[in-house]
Structures are given as C-alpha cells and as structure tokens.
Amino acid sequence: MPEGLTAWRAYLYAVSFIALIVAILGAVDLIAVAIEVFVYPPPRPYPVPPYYSGLPGSVAQVVVGLVVWGYHWMLLKKEH
C-alpha cells in the first residue's frame, strides 16, 4: 500500500473531522439544555409540561456525528 495522503484518505480524514465537530456541537447544545433545566430553570407561574425544543436536535447531532465519525475512523484504522 502506498504511503502518503491519497484522495481516499483525505476524504476519510475530512469526513471524520466534520462528524466529530457535529458531535461536539451537539454535546455543547446538550450541556446548554442541561444548564437551562437544572441550574437556571425559567420561572413558571403555573405548572406546564416542559418541552425543550433543542433537545431532539442535539441528541441527533451527537448520535449521528459519533456514528459517522466512528465508521470513518474505523476505515482509516484499516488503511494503516
């Protein structure tokens, strides 16, 4: 196998990097929702079932980002 950076390896590194960034941004959003829920909850005049609109998107970002990153990183490890 030739050494060096091929187009395939560059693609794998680029997709791995982007997927990891997506997962990190999702985790940051999850932390922000957790702070909103547990540390600084908004005052409520009457009980309303809480719905946090950022939660499903954040969880999806973390899950999809980690799955895509893991798959491409595994392909990179097979290349070596």
Side-chain angles (χ1 to χ4, degrees), residues 3-29:
E3 289 295 319
L5 186 65
T6 63
W8 175 246
R9 287 174 110 183
Y11 162 77
L12 290 175
Y13 278 118
V15 171
S16 296
F17 177 72
I18 291 170
L20 193 59
I21 294 298
V22 168
I24 289 171
L25 292 176
V28 167
D29 288 343

Side-chain angles (χ1 to χ4, degrees), residues 29-68:
D29 288 343
L30 279 177
I31 292 170
V33 169
I35 288 173
E36 179 183 341
V37 170
F38 297 113
V39 179
Y40 298 112
R44 305 212 184 248
Y46 52 90
V48 176
Y51 175 72
Y52 303 99
S53 61
L55 190 61
S58 300
V59 171
Q61 280 183 319
V62 171
V63 170
V64 171
L66 288 178
V67 167
V68 171

